[in-house]
Amino acid sequence: MFTVPNERLTFEIDLQPVGRRVQVGAGTTLLAAAQSAGVELQSVCGGVGTCSGCKVRVAAGAVSPVTAADNHEISREEIAAGYRLACQAIALSDVRLDIPPESLSAPQRVQVEGQGLDVKLDPVVFAVEIEVAPPSLGDLRSDLTRVNSTFAQQNGEVEVPFEVLAGLPQTLRAQNWAARLALRKVGSRFRVVGVLPPRSRMFGLAVDVGTTKLAAYLVDIENGRTVAQKGAVNPQIAYGEDVVSRISFANRDPAGQSVMQGKLIEAINLLAADLCAEAGAVPQQIVDAVVVGNTVMHHLFAGLPVHQLGTAPFVPVVADALEIPAARTGLALSSGALVYLPPNIAGYVGADHVAMLLGSGIHQDTRTVVAIDIGTNTEITLASRGRLVSCSCASGPAFEGAHIQHGMRAAPGAIERVRIIDGKVHTHTIGGVPPVGICGSGIVDAVAEMLDANVLDNRGNFHRDSTMAPPSDRQNKFVLAAAATGHAGDIAVTRSDVNEIQLAKAAIRTGIEILLREVGVSSADIDQVVIAGAFGSYLDIGSAVRLGMFPPLARERFHQIGNGAGSGARQMLISGDQRRTAEQIARQIEYVELANHPAFSEQFLTELCFLGARKDAQ
Amino acid sequence: MFTVPNERLTFEIDLQPVGRRVQVGAGTTLLAAAQSAGVELQSVCGGVGTCSGCKVRVAAGAVSPVTAADNHEISREEIAAGYRLACQAIALSDVRLDIPPESLSAPQRVQVEGQGLDVKLDPVVFAVEIEVAPPSLGDLRSDLTRVNSTFAQQNGEVEVPFEVLAGLPQTLRAQNWAARLALRKVGSRFRVVGVLPPRSRMFGLAVDVGTTKLAAYLVDIENGRTVAQKGAVNPQIAYGEDVVSRISFANRDPAGQSVMQGKLIEAINLLAADLCAEAGAVPQQIVDAVVVGNTVMHHLFAGLPVHQLGTAPFVPVVADALEIPAARTGLALSSGALVYLPPNIAGYVGADHVAMLLGSGIHQDTRTVVAIDIGTNTEITLASRGRLVSCSCASGPAFEGAHIQHGMRAAPGAIERVRIIDGKVHTHTIGGVPPVGICGSGIVDAVAEMLDANVLDNRGNFHRDSTMAPPSDRQNKFVLAAAATGHAGDIAVTRSDVNEIQLAKAAIRTGIEILLREVGVSSADIDQVVIAGAFGSYLDIGSAVRLGMFPPLARERFHQIGNGAGSGARQMLISGDQRRTAEQIARQIEYVELANHPAFSEQFLTELCFLGARKDAQ
C-alpha cells in the first residue's frame, strides 16, 4: 500500500488514532499535514524543532532523515522505534502516523487527562438555505420583504441588520436569488449575520490579542474543528512594548488610539485572509468571531478609550461581555458577523484571563487549583472551596528579556536552557545556533543554577567565597557564554539582572500567597498549578520552584497548557453555552487589589529572597 | 415703551398673537427675528421678497422703509395699514408684530385651518439626570457598571450601546461624574443615546433630502418648537442632476456611491452645525433625527446600494422604516443618536412622500383628497373611500427648467410669472432683476397664457392665423423678453418647449385620472388637491388647470403646503406616535404601477392635448 520515495506530487497522510486522512503536496512537513487535516499537534516552539511537543511515530511510509533537532529532543530508543518531530519530518511517500496522546494540542490533551474539557458543539450561528422569487413588474416587493417572507414561511420572523442589508441586493442577484443565510437566534427572532452562496461552509475566527503577539484560529463552526491557525506580531508594538507605553501613546497623540486600533485590525484581517486561503475559503465565510485580550488590548481592539486604564484606580470602561458588529471595528468578515468579547475582571485582569480559566477548566474543578498567566503583568486565579479569587501582579518585563543586560525575546540564538554541571556552564539556544542573548526561560534557569551552584546567596548577592563566583574585577556578572564568533562580548548574568528576577518572581509568589491567605488555604493544599502562555510553556518548572516563584510542590502538580486563552476563545466560538460559562466565571471572580492589600508589603519583602529548593519540586 | 430709531445694539421683537418675545441684534430682519424665536413664518421664496408668505403687520415700533418687493407683493391699502414683508423689514427699534394666521408656516397654518394637525408632543427620547460615585481603590467597578447601577436604582435596566460607551469615560470625568442621560425606551429597557452635560437642552434634527435641495430643521424635542431651519444645495448635484444620473454615477464608479454618501453627510453635518450655532447649542445635543427623501436619496443617505433602482422593476432594498445609528452614517450628532427613516412605498415613491402625506394630514381626512409632490418624478396619492392609492409619474425635469431652451432653476433673473394682456407680454422675474431665463412656474404661466391668447392651439401648435403667433421665419418660438442688456438674445418659448410641458402635464394628469379610476370616483368628487414642494408652492394654480395638469376644480380646493415632507419629518421627530402613523400610512397605501397599467397609454395620449380651461378654476 505504501510507496517508496518517488516523483509523485502529492501523498496521503493517514493520521491515527484520530482517523483523519489528508492529501498533501511533496515537501510538506508532517506537522503542516496534520494542521491541514484539522489535527492540532502541540507546537509551542512554532515548528522550529526546539520543543518535543509534536513528537509522532511513523507507523508506515518513508520520511526525510533524522535531524539534529530530532536527536536533541527525542531519545535514541524512541528514534529507533520510529518517533520523529512532526515539524522536522517531510513525507517522501504515503505515510501512516501514530500520534501519542501527549502530542495532541492543549484542549485535546486536557480532555485526554480527564478534566472533561470536551466542549459540546453548540455554535451561536447556524444556516438555512433559501430560494427567493425574483422581482417583476407584478411583484415589486423590496429585497428585504422578499427575503423576510420566504424565510418566515419556513422558520419565523427574521431581522436583517443594516450591515447585511447593504450587501443584500448584489448578493441575491449574483447568486440567482438563492442563498445560505447565516443566522443567530435573538430572543424569539432570527438575525441574519451573513448571506453566503448556497451550501457554503461557515467558519468562526478566534483571536488571542496579546500585547506582543497575535494568535488566530479558523474553526469550522459546523463540526468544531480548527482548520487553520497562525500567529503574528502585534503591530502595535511599534507604539510601545507594553500596555503602559501603549496607553501613553494614546494619551499623547489624539489620533494615537485609532492608529493603534487600525494597525491591529489590519493585522487580524491579514491573519484571517491567510487562514481562509489555507482552508480554501474567503473571509466572508467567517460568520462569527471571539476576540480575547488583556483589558488594554480589549479596549484598543474595540475602540474604547484606554486613558483611564493608565491612572489609578485603573477601571475599565466596560467589564461585561460585549458583542460588536465586526464591520464596526473594520474587521472584514461576513457582513453581519458579530465579535464576541468575553468579560474583563478589572483594569489588569482581562478577558484573556477569563478565556484561559475557561480553557483550563478551573471552574469545573473541585480541587484547589492555581491558574497563572505569566507576562509583564501576571494574572493569577485561585479556585478553592467553591471560590474563584484573582489578582494581578506587576511582574515586569524581565521574563520577556527586557531590563536584562543581555536579555532578548524567545528567538533563534536566545539561551533558553542553562545547566551548571561540575562547575561548568552548559547552555542551549533556540534553534541551536550560536548564542546572542538570554530569553526568559534562560535567565530563570541561570539564576536557579547559580543558586544551586552556590554562586549566589539567598539574597541574590554573588558569594565571594564561591569558586565559581566572578573574580572581584568582574564581580557584577556571571558569564554564561564567553565572547566568541557570533556575538560581540560575553553573555552574562549581572547582579542587576538577578535583582530584576527577584522582583519579578517575588511579585508572582506574593500574588499566590495573598490569594491563598484570602481563601484560607496553604500552598501545600494546592492540587494543581496551571501555567498558561508562551513563556509559561517554555519555563523549566524546577528552576522556577528553585527561585521560589512557585510554591514547592511536586512536579506533576504543575500543568503547562500553552495558549489557554486561545483554547478558551475557540471553545466560546463553537458554543454559546461556553460564553455563558465565561460570563459566569467572570461574575464569580472576587478580585483582590494587591496595591492596597494590608499584607502585600511584608509578603513581597519576604518573597524577594530565594528561599526555594529544587529538591522540593522533585 | 417703544423707542425711536437709535444706536442701540439690540431690540426686542414682540411676536403676537403667538406671545413670544425675542432680543435681536440691530440689522436683523423681522423674518430672522421670528425664526430665532421659533416662530415660523411662510417663506417659500427663501426670504428674497418674491412671495407674500411672510406678510406681517407692524403694530408698534419703527422698521426700515417700504421696498419695491413690498410694493409688488402687498396692496397699497395693506401697506398703509402697516403690513410689510417680514423678510424685507429691519427693526429700527423695539417692535411689536401682529402675525396674520396665513403667514404662519405650514404645520401651524394647517392647524389653524382645522385639519387637526397639531401633534401631541410624544418625543422618542427623554432625559434623566444622574450623579455617579467616582471610582476608587475600594470601588473598582467599570464605568459602565457604575452608570448602570446608579440608573437602575432609580429607573430600571439600561443599555449603553457601543457608540456611547466609547465616549463615556471622558464625558463622566469631564463632567465630574454627573450627566444628563438622553434615553429611549426599548421594550422594557432604556437605551442611552447621549451623555450630555447636566441640564443640557435636547434637540432633534429633521432633514428633507431632495434630489436638488436639502432642508434641515432643528427642533427642541422637549417643547416641540422648531428653533432654527436652513436650506442648502444637495452637493450630490455635482454627480448628476437627477436620480437616474446619480444611479448611473454609482454604477460607473465603484466608489461613486460612497463618495455621494460622504458629500451628503458632510452637507448635513454643516447644516446641523449652523443650526446649532444659531440655537446656541452643539451638535452633540442632537439626540434624535428623522431623515426623509425619495427612495434613491433614502438609499444614498443610508449607504444602501441604488443599482437595482436603476433597472426595471425598480425595487428598493428595503421598504420598511429603518433606524440607523447616526455614527454609522457619519452624522456627528450625540454619540448614540439613531436616525429614523420612514418607510418607502416603491422605487419611485419614497419616504418623503410618506412624510408629506403625514404632514398634510391626508390619512385623517374622510373626504376625497389628492396629494401631489411635483418634481422630475411626481408622486401622487389619492385618499378616497377609506383607501390610499399611490402612483409615480415620469413628469420629467421641465418644471425645473431642464430641457427648456431658455429654461433655468428658480433663481434671480428667472421669469416666474407671465401675463399676456391686450396682446402684450408682461413678465416678472425672481428678484425683480433683468430676465435671464424661464423657471418652471414661468413656463407653465407662459404656455397657459399663450393658449388663452390663442397663440397655441389645443395640440400645442402655433396658430398660423394668430396676430401674436410668430411670423413664419421665426415660427418655432414665442418671445417673452426681447434681446436687451442683461441677456444675450431673446428669451422665448419654442414649440419644443411646449411639447416638453405637454409631456410633463400629461404624465401628472394621467396619474391622477388612473388613481381616480382605480378607486371609482371622478375628478368632480375631489374635495381637495394638496400640492407640496417648492415648485408646487410657486406654481400658478390657474395656469396649471388651464394646461389640464390638474382637474378643473375651483381654486379654493387647491392647497399649496410648501415643504410638506419637512413638516411630516418634524412631526415624526417630536412624536413616536406619528412614526407609527407614517408606517401605518405606508402599509395602507396601494401602489399602482403606471408602466404596465392597461389604461395608461390611452389616457396619456388624451392628456397630451390642452383641454383645460382657465374659467373652470375660477
Side-chain angles (χ1 to χ4, degrees), chain A residues 78 244 267 296 300 325 352 386 401 406 417 419 497 514 563 581 583 588 609:
Chain A
E78 283 183 322
V244 174
V296 175
L300 285 177
D352 55 349
H406 294 107
R417 287 280 168 269
R419 291 290 176 268
D497 295 344
I514 287 182
N563 190 348
T581 303
E583 291 160 21
Q588 197 191 332
C609 290

Side-chain angles (χ1 to χ4, degrees), chain A residues 135-137 140-144 162-163 165-166 169 173 302-305 308 313 315-320 322 324 328 591 593 596, chain B residues 135-137 140-144 162-163 165-166 169 173 302-305 308 313 315-320 322 324 328 591 593 596:
Chain A
S136 66
L137 278 176
L140 296 170
R141 294 171 304 159
S142 72
D143 287 358
L144 176 60
F162 188 75
E163 294 79 12
L165 205 51
R173 285 165 181 78
L304 293 170
Q308 75 292 340
V315 298
V317 179
V318 58
D320 300 333
L322 272 184
I324 316 175
R328 219 200 158 287
Y591 176 71
E593 176 59 58
N596 61 346
Chain B
S136 65
L137 278 177
L140 295 171
R141 294 172 304 159
S142 73
D143 286 0
L144 176 60
F162 188 76
E163 294 79 12
L165 205 51
R173 285 164 181 79
L304 294 170
Q308 75 293 339
V315 297
V317 180
V318 59
D320 301 332
L322 272 184
I324 315 174
R328 217 198 160 289
Y591 176 71
E593 176 59 61
N596 61 346

Side-chain angles (χ1 to χ4, degrees), chain B residues 513-538:
Chain B
E513 293 299 324
I514 287 182
L515 293 184
L516 291 168
R517 195 184 293 207
E518 281 290 315
V519 177
V521 293
S522 81
S523 61
D525 297 324
I526 299 172
D527 296 301
Q528 188 163 60
V529 180
V530 172
I531 301 165
F535 168 71
S537 300
Y538 287 107

Side-chain angles (χ1 to χ4, degrees), chain B residues 487-526:
Chain B
H487 59 97
D490 291 346
I491 295 173
V493 177
T494 68
R495 174 65 186 95
S496 159
D497 294 344
V498 174
N499 194 48
E500 289 289 334
I501 296 302
Q502 280 175 286
L503 291 169
K505 73 99 187 177
I508 293 173
R509 184 64 178 276
T510 301
I512 296 172
E513 293 299 324
I514 287 182
L515 293 184
L516 291 168
R517 195 184 293 207
E518 281 290 315
V519 177
V521 293
S522 81
S523 61
D525 297 324
I526 299 172

Side-chain angles (χ1 to χ4, degrees), chain B residues 390-536:
Chain B
S390 300
C391 69
S392 164
C393 324
S395 44
F399 298 139
E400 281 155 14
H403 298 191
I404 299 293
Q405 190 173 346
H406 295 107
M408 65 180 286
R409 287 235 174 73
I415 295 174
E416 57 162 353
R417 287 280 168 266
V418 177
R419 291 291 177 265
I420 302 177
I421 302 168
D422 300 333
K424 192 164 176 298
V425 179
H426 300 264
T427 62
H428 176 252
T429 64
I430 296 177
V433 298
V436 293
I438 320 170
C439 69
S441 57
I443 191 84
V444 169
D445 265 13
V447 175
E449 292 287 302
M450 287 157 75
L451 286 164
D452 278 354
N454 223 19
V455 176
L456 295 176
D457 66 17
N458 278 347
R459 305 181 68 88
N461 296 316
F462 285 112
H463 263 300
R464 288 294 142 242
D465 52 354
S466 162
T467 53
M468 289 196 67
S472 58
D473 62 329
R474 295 167 65 196
Q475 64 183 347
N476 282 322
K477 65 179 190 180
F478 178 81
V479 176
L480 297 183
T485 322
H487 59 97
D490 291 346
I491 295 173
V493 177
T494 68
R495 174 65 186 95
S496 159
D497 294 344
V498 174
N499 194 48
E500 289 289 334
I501 296 302
Q502 280 175 286
L503 291 169
K505 73 99 187 177
I508 293 173
R509 184 64 178 276
T510 301
I512 296 172
E513 293 299 324
I514 287 182
L515 293 184
L516 291 168
R517 195 184 293 207
E518 281 290 315
V519 177
V521 293
S522 81
S523 61
D525 297 324
I526 299 172
D527 296 301
Q528 188 163 60
V529 180
V530 172
I531 301 165
F535 168 71

